[in-house]
Amino acid sequence: MTTNPAKRQMTLGMHLGTGYGSQANAWRAPGVNPSAYADIEAQVRYARAAERGTLDFLFLPDNLAITPSMGGGIPQATMDPVVTIAALARATSRIGFVATGTTTFNEPYNIARQYKALDVITHGRFGWNAVTTADPAAAANFGQTIAERPVRYGRAHEVIQTVQALWGSWGEDAWTRDKATGRFVDMDRVRPVNLRGEHVASQGPLPIPPSEQGQPVIFSAGGGEYGLTIAGRYASGVIGAAFTIEDARAQRDAVRRAARQYGRNPEEVKFFAGLMPLIGATVEDALARRRQLDEVSAPQRVPYLGAMLGLALEPEQIDRPLTAGELADARPSGFDPRSQHALSVAREGWTIRDILAHGIIDYHPTPVGPPSVVADHMQEWFEAGACDGFWISPDVNQDGIDTFVDEVVPILRERGLFHDGYRGTTLREHLGVPPQYGLDPRVMRDAQ
Ligand SMILES: Cc1cc2nc3c(=O)[nH]c(=O)nc-3n(C[C@H](O)[C@H](O)[C@H](O)COP(=O)(O)O)c2cc1C
């Protein structure tokens, strides 16, 4: 055992997604129950597997519509993250939960109530990934269209501030429950919020006591100038997406700078890089797993690989490698940050099918091979200061979560990169971020 307790250790989240896994065909994979989307027992099994690996949180994305262009009608999230977490909370005791919820198509009182109730019933294990939603199909489900960023983010600031004010409105020690005097709550310590902005308003108070961690942790996803104002002011965790160490480090630095700008300590904001491991006993086993999963859809992706490399490639060419002439002519596209990596894989001489099987069009980096290859990737990124941890998207949850927990986690522990047991009982303790109740006074000093 080489564990060094003083060493900085990574924080890990497991992406639950739709429940099937990150690959569009995960629901069709061998051994997968195609009904798992509607089977809470399957989700419970996955949550328990992640908890067995002492992962810090489960990440539940959300999408308020079916997006037809993505995966032929496969939903992009669980049936409902809040309801799912309420069920998973009863089947687990330590793992945290981070649920995505939109600031655009919710009222702050609804969010404040549901999320604080979840934080109380999970005993302080809940976090809210506050997103602004850019999907027109989601807007249509509320009879609306997607507004420009200044409007969506203006509303997001108001919603988050109102939600946090509501969370703090039932004072931390207000719940007296004194049977002798008949005083259930000390109303002197329960205060309305009386907030009115341009987009939302709420009178308060919210009649829910604090949880073991006070109130839910805020996460955000998505960068850019607007996203950074959310991350910098409120987030304790940022769900990131980057394909290179340099890009991840730049994103993490930007988040930390934003936190400092709003008077916070950058150590309070943890940046999570995405990871889509493709694990097998050998590289060939891992590729075989992906080839089987993508058997039907791979040929359709050949022209896109061509576009990434500046070459005209056809589906029927899928079982041959690129020729020396094609490799010489290839120019990685500046529009897709994955193109350089695709070219590097192509240069190794793989067939087009195997180039694709390397996950070169996945949404996050895909280390391919035995568990040590995944651990090496994580160690390299973490030690390079590219992230504070990872959110992991297994290709197929049915066996992918177990494989990560049983085969990658022990390597990380052996290298002293990941904790052996939970560091606490609340999500804040898992993340190593400070307590907060109500609005953060440091942020409110100069907030709009
Ligand atoms: C890694 C990552 C995960 C995200 N997850 C979700 C999600 O689950 N649901 C959602 O509505 N938006 C999600 N977003 C979208 C962002 O919140 C943001 O709305 C999007 O990047 C569009 O940018 P814009 O709001 O600046 O137009 C995610 C973004 C990133 C980078």
Side-chain angles (χ1 to χ4, degrees):
M1 193 72 140
T2 55
T3 306
N4 169 4
K7 196 165 157 178
R8 178 175 158 254
Q9 292 190 317
M10 55 178 77
T11 304
L12 297 179
M14 182 62 71
H15 179 206
L16 197 59
T18 57
Y20 294 112
S22 61
Q23 295 302 312
N25 291 322
W27 68 278
R28 300 168 70 184
V32 172
N33 173 6
S35 308
Y37 176 61
D39 177 9
I40 195 66
E41 296 310 326
Q43 314 308 325
V44 163
R45 211 163 51 248
Y46 306 151
R48 284 184 168 149
E51 187 169 67
R52 184 161 51 76
T54 64
L55 267 73
D56 297 290
F57 61 91
L58 276 178
F59 172 61
L60 284 84
D62 200 18
N63 193 18
L64 295 163
I66 278 198
T67 309
S69 62
M70 293 179 75
I74 300 164
Q76 301 297 306
T78 51
M79 289 190 293
D80 183 309
V82 168
V83 176
T84 302
I85 289 171
L88 300 185
R90 301 282 296 142
T92 54
S93 60
R94 299 298 279 277
I95 195 164
F97 300 99
V98 177
T100 302
T102 179
T103 54
T104 302
F105 303 112
N106 277 312
E107 288 297 315
Y109 193 88
N110 300 123
I111 297 176
R113 184 187 194 196
Q114 286 198 317
Y115 290 169
K116 199 167 180 213
L118 269 184
D119 201 33
V120 170
I121 68 170
T122 59
H123 298 286
R125 291 188 283 144
F126 183 72
W128 168 31
N129 177 34
V131 298
T132 51
T133 304
D135 179 4
N141 283 337
F142 296 85
Q144 297 181 38
T145 52
I146 293 294
E148 294 298 317
R149 284 201 183 93
V151 175
R152 276 187 289 129
Y153 282 86
R155 183 184 163 102
H157 282 281
E158 289 187 15
V159 169
I160 296 171
Q161 288 172 23
T162 308
V163 165
Q164 292 199 328
L166 284 164
W167 285 341
S169 65
W170 180 303
E172 248 180 315
D173 47 5
W175 197 15
T176 44
R177 293 159 282 184
D178 189 338
K179 283 186 176 179
T181 62
R183 212 155 75 139
F184 187 68
V185 178
D186 178 354
M187 285 308 289
D188 291 342
R189 286 181 273 178
V190 175
R191 283 201 297 272
V193 301
N194 289 325
L195 282 176
R196 175 169 295 280
E198 239 176 86
H199 306 275
V200 295
S202 186
Q203 177 182 286
L206 180 75
I208 303 182
S211 74
E212 280 81 344
Q213 65 171 357
Q215 68 190 27
V217 182
I218 304 272
F219 273 61
S220 70
E225 201 187 316
Y226 286 96
L228 283 174
T229 65
I230 302 286
R233 278 185 175 151
Y234 319 108
S236 302
V238 173
I239 300 290
F243 289 100
T244 60
I245 285 181
E246 294 67 34
D247 185 21
R249 200 193 283 126
Q251 290 188 37
R252 177 170 180 257
D253 287 348
V255 163
R256 290 167 67 86
R257 261 198 314 278
R260 206 176 285 118
Q261 186 187 336
Y262 294 112
R264 301 169 67 212
N265 177 352
E267 297 301 318
E268 295 174 28
V269 196
K270 309 298 178 185
F271 181 81
F272 296 97
L275 186 68
M276 298 175 83
L278 176 54
I279 304 173
T282 60
V283 170
E284 176 47 34
D285 285 347
L287 291 176
R289 176 179 170 90
R290 179 59 75 86
R291 276 197 304 266
Q292 184 183 30
L293 205 54
D294 286 353
E295 199 173 345
V296 181
S297 57
Q300 299 152 22
R301 296 188 187 152
V302 176
Y304 186 77
L305 173 64
M308 287 170 95
L309 301 179
L311 300 170
L313 299 178
E314 301 301 331
E316 2 353 305
Q317 300 167 328
I318 192 163
D319 286 311
R320 68 157 174 86
L322 298 191
T323 63
E326 283 168 335
L327 286 171
D329 288 347
R331 296 285 173 274
S333 160
F335 294 104
D336 191 321
R338 300 167 292 194
S339 305
Q340 185 60 54
H341 176 61
L343 181 55
S344 307
V345 174
R347 283 187 178 135
E348 292 170 11
W350 302 97
T351 64
I352 293 175
R353 191 185 295 279
D354 276 344
I355 298 170
L356 291 166
H358 276 79
I360 46 101
I361 313 183
D362 283 353
Y363 296 120
H364 301 284
T366 297
V368 179
S372 61
V373 169
V374 178
D376 290 348
H377 172 102
M378 296 172 79
Q379 179 164 9
E380 190 188 356
W381 280 50
F382 182 66
E383 290 182 346
C387 59
D388 297 287
F390 297 85
W391 60 290
I392 295 137
S393 301
D395 47 7
V396 179
N397 286 356
Q398 173 69 23
D399 58 347
I401 298 178
D402 284 325
T403 303
F404 185 84
V405 162
D406 295 330
E407 298 181 22
V408 181
V409 165
I411 301 175
L412 297 173
R413 285 188 179 143
E414 206 175 282
R415 296 182 188 177
L417 294 165
F418 188 57
H419 50 81
D420 252 328
Y422 280 106
R423 292 174 282 203
T425 59
T426 67
L427 180 56
R428 276 179 203 281
E429 286 168 337
H430 298 345
L431 296 170
V433 300
Q436 183 184 338
Y437 200 63
L439 290 157
D440 184 337
R442 298 168 302 178
V443 171
M444 297 323 298
R445 271 200 300 271
D446 64 349
Q448 295 159 350

mmCIF file of all heavy atoms in Angstrom, residues 78-112:
data_model
loop_
_atom_site.group_PDB
_atom_site.id
_atom_site.type_symbol
_atom_site.label_atom_id
_atom_site.label_comp_id
_atom_site.label_asym_id
_atom_site.label_seq_id
_atom_site.Cartn_x
_atom_site.Cartn_y
_atom_site.Cartn_z
ATOM 1 N N THR A 78 -33.004 10.406 -16.662
ATOM 2 C CA THR A 78 -33.951 9.515 -16.000
ATOM 3 C C THR A 78 -35.364 10.092 -16.165
ATOM 4 O O THR A 78 -35.524 11.232 -16.578
ATOM 5 C CB THR A 78 -33.630 9.410 -14.496
ATOM 6 O OG1 THR A 78 -33.515 10.738 -13.980
ATOM 7 C CG2 THR A 78 -32.351 8.658 -14.251
ATOM 8 N N MET A 79 -36.366 9.304 -15.789
ATOM 9 C CA MET A 79 -37.744 9.794 -15.953
ATOM 10 C C MET A 79 -37.933 11.133 -15.253
ATOM 11 O O MET A 79 -38.562 12.039 -15.776
ATOM 12 C CB MET A 79 -38.743 8.767 -15.393
ATOM 13 C CG MET A 79 -38.857 7.518 -16.245
ATOM 14 S SD MET A 79 -40.231 6.491 -15.710
ATOM 15 C CE MET A 79 -39.673 5.937 -14.095
ATOM 16 N N ASP A 80 -37.380 11.260 -14.073
ATOM 17 C CA ASP A 80 -37.423 12.524 -13.326
ATOM 18 C C ASP A 80 -36.362 12.434 -12.226
ATOM 19 O O ASP A 80 -36.466 11.593 -11.331
ATOM 20 C CB ASP A 80 -38.812 12.719 -12.704
ATOM 21 C CG ASP A 80 -38.920 14.053 -11.971
ATOM 22 O OD1 ASP A 80 -38.042 14.358 -11.140
ATOM 23 O OD2 ASP A 80 -39.884 14.786 -12.216
ATOM 24 N N PRO A 81 -35.338 13.285 -12.303
ATOM 25 C CA PRO A 81 -34.238 13.173 -11.337
ATOM 26 C C PRO A 81 -34.691 13.287 -9.882
ATOM 27 O O PRO A 81 -34.182 12.563 -9.022
ATOM 28 C CB PRO A 81 -33.308 14.330 -11.714
ATOM 29 C CG PRO A 81 -33.625 14.651 -13.126
ATOM 30 C CD PRO A 81 -35.079 14.314 -13.327
ATOM 31 N N VAL A 82 -35.618 14.181 -9.599
ATOM 32 C CA VAL A 82 -36.033 14.377 -8.201
ATOM 33 C C VAL A 82 -36.697 13.117 -7.656
ATOM 34 O O VAL A 82 -36.373 12.637 -6.563
ATOM 35 C CB VAL A 82 -36.992 15.591 -8.088
ATOM 36 C CG1 VAL A 82 -37.650 15.636 -6.716
ATOM 37 C CG2 VAL A 82 -36.231 16.879 -8.363
ATOM 38 N N VAL A 83 -37.600 12.563 -8.444
ATOM 39 C CA VAL A 83 -38.321 11.368 -7.995
ATOM 40 C C VAL A 83 -37.349 10.187 -7.903
ATOM 41 O O VAL A 83 -37.397 9.396 -6.956
ATOM 42 C CB VAL A 83 -39.501 11.075 -8.955
ATOM 43 C CG1 VAL A 83 -40.203 9.789 -8.553
ATOM 44 C CG2 VAL A 83 -40.472 12.249 -8.968
ATOM 45 N N THR A 84 -36.463 10.086 -8.876
ATOM 46 C CA THR A 84 -35.479 8.999 -8.857
ATOM 47 C C THR A 84 -34.612 9.078 -7.600
ATOM 48 O O THR A 84 -34.396 8.074 -6.915
ATOM 49 C CB THR A 84 -34.587 9.057 -10.122
ATOM 50 O OG1 THR A 84 -35.432 8.960 -11.272
ATOM 51 C CG2 THR A 84 -33.573 7.927 -10.148
ATOM 52 N N ILE A 85 -34.134 10.283 -7.282
ATOM 53 C CA ILE A 85 -33.260 10.426 -6.110
ATOM 54 C C ILE A 85 -34.017 10.110 -4.826
ATOM 55 O O ILE A 85 -33.462 9.491 -3.902
ATOM 56 C CB ILE A 85 -32.616 11.833 -6.079
ATOM 57 C CG1 ILE A 85 -31.584 11.932 -7.196
ATOM 58 C CG2 ILE A 85 -31.959 12.111 -4.725
ATOM 59 C CD1 ILE A 85 -31.019 13.308 -7.426
ATOM 60 N N ALA A 86 -35.285 10.487 -4.766
ATOM 61 C CA ALA A 86 -36.067 10.175 -3.558
ATOM 62 C C ALA A 86 -36.071 8.657 -3.332
ATOM 63 O O ALA A 86 -35.981 8.184 -2.196
ATOM 64 C CB ALA A 86 -37.481 10.717 -3.679
ATOM 65 N N ALA A 87 -36.135 7.895 -4.427
ATOM 66 C CA ALA A 87 -36.117 6.433 -4.295
ATOM 67 C C ALA A 87 -34.706 5.927 -3.969
ATOM 68 O O ALA A 87 -34.533 5.063 -3.117
ATOM 69 C CB ALA A 87 -36.622 5.786 -5.586
ATOM 70 N N LEU A 88 -33.699 6.489 -4.636
ATOM 71 C CA LEU A 88 -32.323 6.017 -4.415
ATOM 72 C C LEU A 88 -31.830 6.353 -3.000
ATOM 73 O O LEU A 88 -31.003 5.641 -2.430
ATOM 74 C CB LEU A 88 -31.372 6.624 -5.453
ATOM 75 C CG LEU A 88 -31.677 6.304 -6.925
ATOM 76 C CD1 LEU A 88 -30.573 6.863 -7.826
ATOM 77 C CD2 LEU A 88 -31.833 4.805 -7.155
ATOM 78 N N ALA A 89 -32.356 7.442 -2.461
ATOM 79 C CA ALA A 89 -31.940 7.878 -1.120
ATOM 80 C C ALA A 89 -32.236 6.793 -0.093
ATOM 81 O O ALA A 89 -31.461 6.581 0.840
ATOM 82 C CB ALA A 89 -32.671 9.162 -0.728
ATOM 83 N N ARG A 90 -33.345 6.091 -0.286
ATOM 84 C CA ARG A 90 -33.762 5.068 0.679
ATOM 85 C C ARG A 90 -32.907 3.801 0.564
ATOM 86 O O ARG A 90 -32.937 2.966 1.446
ATOM 87 C CB ARG A 90 -35.233 4.703 0.461
ATOM 88 C CG ARG A 90 -36.186 5.865 0.596
ATOM 89 C CD ARG A 90 -36.446 6.218 2.046
ATOM 90 N NE ARG A 90 -37.105 5.132 2.752
ATOM 91 C CZ ARG A 90 -36.848 4.796 4.014
ATOM 92 N NH1 ARG A 90 -35.943 5.443 4.697
ATOM 93 N NH2 ARG A 90 -37.517 3.814 4.590
ATOM 94 N N ALA A 91 -32.227 3.645 -0.547
ATOM 95 C CA ALA A 91 -31.471 2.415 -0.789
ATOM 96 C C ALA A 91 -29.971 2.602 -0.556
ATOM 97 O O ALA A 91 -29.192 1.680 -0.757
ATOM 98 C CB ALA A 91 -31.704 1.957 -2.225
ATOM 99 N N THR A 92 -29.571 3.813 -0.175
ATOM 100 C CA THR A 92 -28.150 4.125 0.012
ATOM 101 C C THR A 92 -28.007 4.939 1.305
ATOM 102 O O THR A 92 -29.004 5.443 1.823
ATOM 103 C CB THR A 92 -27.624 4.991 -1.158
ATOM 104 O OG1 THR A 92 -28.471 6.149 -1.272
ATOM 105 C CG2 THR A 92 -27.631 4.242 -2.473
ATOM 106 N N SER A 93 -26.767 5.085 1.782
ATOM 107 C CA SER A 93 -26.638 5.874 3.014
ATOM 108 C C SER A 93 -25.511 6.906 2.964
ATOM 109 O O SER A 93 -25.489 7.826 3.770
ATOM 110 C CB SER A 93 -26.407 4.947 4.208
ATOM 111 O OG SER A 93 -25.228 4.204 4.002
ATOM 112 N N ARG A 94 -24.602 6.783 2.017
ATOM 113 C CA ARG A 94 -23.461 7.701 2.032
ATOM 114 C C ARG A 94 -23.258 8.471 0.729
ATOM 115 O O ARG A 94 -22.809 9.618 0.748
ATOM 116 C CB ARG A 94 -22.173 6.929 2.351
ATOM 117 C CG ARG A 94 -22.180 6.244 3.701
ATOM 118 C CD ARG A 94 -22.306 7.232 4.848
ATOM 119 N NE ARG A 94 -21.031 7.863 5.185
ATOM 120 C CZ ARG A 94 -20.108 7.329 5.976
ATOM 121 N NH1 ARG A 94 -20.293 6.151 6.508
ATOM 122 N NH2 ARG A 94 -18.985 7.976 6.239
ATOM 123 N N ILE A 95 -23.536 7.867 -0.385
ATOM 124 C CA ILE A 95 -23.217 8.523 -1.659
ATOM 125 C C ILE A 95 -24.068 9.788 -1.831
ATOM 126 O O ILE A 95 -25.238 9.818 -1.432
ATOM 127 C CB ILE A 95 -23.401 7.548 -2.845
ATOM 128 C CG1 ILE A 95 -22.736 8.107 -4.102
ATOM 129 C CG2 ILE A 95 -24.874 7.204 -3.095
ATOM 130 C CD1 ILE A 95 -22.530 7.075 -5.204
ATOM 131 N N GLY A 96 -23.460 10.839 -2.389
ATOM 132 C CA GLY A 96 -24.188 12.075 -2.665
ATOM 133 C C GLY A 96 -24.956 11.974 -3.980
ATOM 134 O O GLY A 96 -24.744 11.058 -4.785
ATOM 135 N N PHE A 97 -25.854 12.933 -4.190
ATOM 136 C CA PHE A 97 -26.647 12.992 -5.426
ATOM 137 C C PHE A 97 -26.576 14.411 -5.971
ATOM 138 O O PHE A 97 -26.790 15.359 -5.216
ATOM 139 C CB PHE A 97 -28.118 12.670 -5.154
ATOM 140 C CG PHE A 97 -28.337 11.310 -4.566
ATOM 141 C CD1 PHE A 97 -28.532 11.152 -3.201
ATOM 142 C CD2 PHE A 97 -28.340 10.177 -5.367
ATOM 143 C CE1 PHE A 97 -28.727 9.899 -2.646
ATOM 144 C CE2 PHE A 97 -28.534 8.915 -4.825
ATOM 145 C CZ PHE A 97 -28.725 8.778 -3.457
ATOM 146 N N VAL A 98 -26.335 14.552 -7.251
ATOM 147 C CA VAL A 98 -26.384 15.873 -7.876
ATOM 148 C C VAL A 98 -27.408 15.807 -8.992
ATOM 149 O O VAL A 98 -27.238 15.060 -9.963
ATOM 150 C CB VAL A 98 -25.002 16.290 -8.431
ATOM 151 C CG1 VAL A 98 -25.095 17.635 -9.137
ATOM 152 C CG2 VAL A 98 -23.971 16.351 -7.300
ATOM 153 N N ALA A 99 -28.499 16.556 -8.836
ATOM 154 C CA ALA A 99 -29.573 16.545 -9.833
ATOM 155 C C ALA A 99 -29.536 17.826 -10.645
ATOM 156 O O ALA A 99 -29.395 18.925 -10.088
ATOM 157 C CB ALA A 99 -30.929 16.436 -9.147
ATOM 158 N N THR A 100 -29.655 17.684 -11.948
ATOM 159 C CA THR A 100 -29.715 18.843 -12.823
ATOM 160 C C THR A 100 -31.132 19.400 -12.817
ATOM 161 O O THR A 100 -32.107 18.650 -12.855
ATOM 162 C CB THR A 100 -29.319 18.411 -14.245
ATOM 163 O OG1 THR A 100 -28.004 17.844 -14.176
ATOM 164 C CG2 THR A 100 -29.328 19.578 -15.213
ATOM 165 N N GLY A 101 -31.240 20.716 -12.732
ATOM 166 C CA GLY A 101 -32.561 21.346 -12.761
ATOM 167 C C GLY A 101 -32.448 22.715 -13.406
ATOM 168 O O GLY A 101 -31.484 23.444 -13.162
ATOM 169 N N THR A 102 -33.409 23.059 -14.228
ATOM 170 C CA THR A 102 -33.334 24.297 -14.997
ATOM 171 C C THR A 102 -33.789 25.512 -14.189
ATOM 172 O O THR A 102 -34.773 25.442 -13.452
ATOM 173 C CB THR A 102 -34.155 24.182 -16.298
ATOM 174 O OG1 THR A 102 -34.069 25.423 -17.014
ATOM 175 C CG2 THR A 102 -35.623 23.879 -16.021
ATOM 176 N N THR A 103 -33.063 26.617 -14.375
ATOM 177 C CA THR A 103 -33.481 27.881 -13.758
ATOM 178 C C THR A 103 -34.471 28.620 -14.656
ATOM 179 O O THR A 103 -35.045 29.619 -14.246
ATOM 180 C CB THR A 103 -32.266 28.807 -13.532
ATOM 181 O OG1 THR A 103 -31.583 28.966 -14.780
ATOM 182 C CG2 THR A 103 -31.313 28.222 -12.503
ATOM 183 N N THR A 104 -34.632 28.124 -15.886
ATOM 184 C CA THR A 104 -35.466 28.851 -16.856
ATOM 185 C C THR A 104 -36.933 28.430 -16.772
ATOM 186 O O THR A 104 -37.825 29.257 -16.919
ATOM 187 C CB THR A 104 -34.915 28.607 -18.284
ATOM 188 O OG1 THR A 104 -33.562 29.052 -18.314
ATOM 189 C CG2 THR A 104 -35.712 29.359 -19.331
ATOM 190 N N PHE A 105 -37.165 27.136 -16.553
ATOM 191 C CA PHE A 105 -38.548 26.648 -16.593
ATOM 192 C C PHE A 105 -39.014 26.127 -15.241
ATOM 193 O O PHE A 105 -39.743 25.151 -15.142
ATOM 194 C CB PHE A 105 -38.696 25.583 -17.688
ATOM 195 C CG PHE A 105 -38.277 26.109 -19.035
ATOM 196 C CD1 PHE A 105 -37.138 25.630 -19.664
ATOM 197 C CD2 PHE A 105 -39.000 27.115 -19.655
ATOM 198 C CE1 PHE A 105 -36.737 26.142 -20.899
ATOM 199 C CE2 PHE A 105 -38.603 27.631 -20.883
ATOM 200 C CZ PHE A 105 -37.463 27.139 -21.505
ATOM 201 N N ASN A 106 -38.549 26.766 -14.186
ATOM 202 C CA ASN A 106 -38.982 26.453 -12.820
ATOM 203 C C ASN A 106 -39.143 27.764 -12.073
ATOM 204 O O ASN A 106 -38.438 28.731 -12.352
ATOM 205 C CB ASN A 106 -37.904 25.642 -12.076
ATOM 206 C CG ASN A 106 -37.965 24.151 -12.368
ATOM 207 O OD1 ASN A 106 -39.026 23.541 -12.311
ATOM 208 N ND2 ASN A 106 -36.819 23.572 -12.671
ATOM 209 N N GLU A 107 -39.992 27.761 -11.077
ATOM 210 C CA GLU A 107 -40.083 28.902 -10.170
ATOM 211 C C GLU A 107 -39.185 28.623 -8.964
ATOM 212 O O GLU A 107 -39.087 27.481 -8.506
ATOM 213 C CB GLU A 107 -41.536 29.084 -9.704
ATOM 214 C CG GLU A 107 -42.462 29.625 -10.775
ATOM 215 C CD GLU A 107 -42.064 31.022 -11.235
ATOM 216 O OE1 GLU A 107 -41.762 31.874 -10.375
ATOM 217 O OE2 GLU A 107 -42.043 31.256 -12.456
ATOM 218 N N PRO A 108 -38.549 29.660 -8.424
ATOM 219 C CA PRO A 108 -37.615 29.422 -7.320
ATOM 220 C C PRO A 108 -38.260 28.738 -6.115
ATOM 221 O O PRO A 108 -37.604 27.926 -5.456
ATOM 222 C CB PRO A 108 -37.094 30.821 -6.962
ATOM 223 C CG PRO A 108 -37.854 31.787 -7.788
ATOM 224 C CD PRO A 108 -38.528 31.052 -8.886
ATOM 225 N N TYR A 109 -39.506 29.040 -5.827
ATOM 226 C CA TYR A 109 -40.108 28.404 -4.651
ATOM 227 C C TYR A 109 -40.211 26.898 -4.845
ATOM 228 O O TYR A 109 -39.954 26.126 -3.909
ATOM 229 C CB TYR A 109 -41.489 29.016 -4.340
ATOM 230 C CG TYR A 109 -41.994 28.602 -2.969
ATOM 231 C CD1 TYR A 109 -41.663 29.333 -1.836
ATOM 232 C CD2 TYR A 109 -42.772 27.457 -2.806
ATOM 233 C CE1 TYR A 109 -42.088 28.937 -0.562
ATOM 234 C CE2 TYR A 109 -43.199 27.052 -1.547
ATOM 235 C CZ TYR A 109 -42.855 27.802 -0.430
ATOM 236 O OH TYR A 109 -43.277 27.401 0.814
ATOM 237 N N ASN A 110 -40.580 26.457 -6.069
ATOM 238 C CA ASN A 110 -40.663 25.010 -6.335
ATOM 239 C C ASN A 110 -39.304 24.344 -6.162
ATOM 240 O O ASN A 110 -39.187 23.291 -5.545
ATOM 241 C CB ASN A 110 -41.164 24.729 -7.762
ATOM 242 C CG ASN A 110 -42.546 25.297 -8.010
ATOM 243 O OD1 ASN A 110 -42.749 26.086 -8.920
ATOM 244 N ND2 ASN A 110 -43.496 24.912 -7.179
ATOM 245 N N ILE A 111 -38.278 24.989 -6.737
ATOM 246 C CA ILE A 111 -36.929 24.413 -6.637
ATOM 247 C C ILE A 111 -36.492 24.366 -5.175
ATOM 248 O O ILE A 111 -36.016 23.350 -4.682
ATOM 249 C CB ILE A 111 -35.909 25.265 -7.436
ATOM 250 C CG1 ILE A 111 -36.241 25.264 -8.918
ATOM 251 C CG2 ILE A 111 -34.484 24.757 -7.204
ATOM 252 C CD1 ILE A 111 -35.321 26.170 -9.744
ATOM 253 N N ALA A 112 -36.653 25.489 -4.490
ATOM 254 C CA ALA A 112 -36.190 25.571 -3.096
ATOM 255 C C ALA A 112 -36.856 24.483 -2.263
ATOM 256 O O ALA A 112 -36.209 23.803 -1.464
ATOM 257 C CB ALA A 112 -36.502 26.952 -2.528
#
